[in-house]
Amino acid sequence: MYSNGITFESRFETISSTIKENNLDRIDLLKIDVEGSEFMVLDGIEDEHWQMVNQAVVEISPKHVMRIDALKQHFMDKGFRRVEVETMGHTGRVQDSQLACNVYATR
């Protein structure tokens, strides 16, 4: 519920359930920008579906930048060969940033 008293109901699905429902055989680009729930979304991809993803871009909210190394390793473990981090207006260590950043993963 928001502070103004308005409640919104939504239906949530995992990426894997969407893959199954739509009989997808590949995902050219998976873009995730979910304002702090990035890891929950990634956890919704079953192991057998990761091979379908050719590229991924995940925007990491400032509150999760300290987990950037774990995310990079996660992509490497899922078979991505190149994983890069783009900071948004921050120089220095990504983990010290108070800004969002993007993680790019390609096969």
Side-chain angles (χ1 to χ4, degrees):
M1 179 155 45
Y2 290 91
S3 61
N4 61 3
I6 298 173
T7 302
F8 294 93
E9 290 188 27
S10 300
R11 183 178 130 204
F12 293 96
E13 293 185 17
T14 65
I15 291 173
S16 282
S17 67
T18 301
I19 289 170
K20 291 174 189 174
E21 276 182 32
N22 295 286
N23 296 316
L24 300 178
D25 60 358
R26 77 172 195 266
I27 298 172
D28 293 321
L29 175 64
L30 175 64
K31 172 70 168 93
I32 300 172
D33 181 358
V34 290
E35 305 304 322
S37 297
E38 301 87 3
F39 292 94
M40 288 175 49
V41 170
L42 293 172
D43 287 343
I45 303 174
E46 297 171 14
D47 285 337
E48 68 263 19
H49 293 139
W50 274 106
Q51 64 195 19
M52 302 168 120
V53 180
N54 293 319
Q55 299 177 77
V57 179
V58 181
E59 182 178 304
I60 301 297
S61 70
K63 70 180 181 180
H64 287 124
V65 294
M66 76 293 282
R67 295 180 62 195
I68 215 80
D69 289 333
L71 179 60
K72 289 171 62 177
Q73 187 60 53
H74 181 77
F75 278 120
M76 298 299 283
D77 292 346
K78 298 300 181 186
F80 291 86
R81 292 184 311 221
R82 184 171 179 174
V83 182
E84 301 288 333
V85 178
E86 173 192 50
T87 58
M88 298 181 187
H90 175 76
T91 57
R93 285 178 11 109
V94 173
Q95 292 85 347
D96 296 334
S97 176
Q98 296 299 310
L99 303 171
C101 64
N102 286 321
V103 176
Y104 298 92
T106 57
R107 294 205 179 271

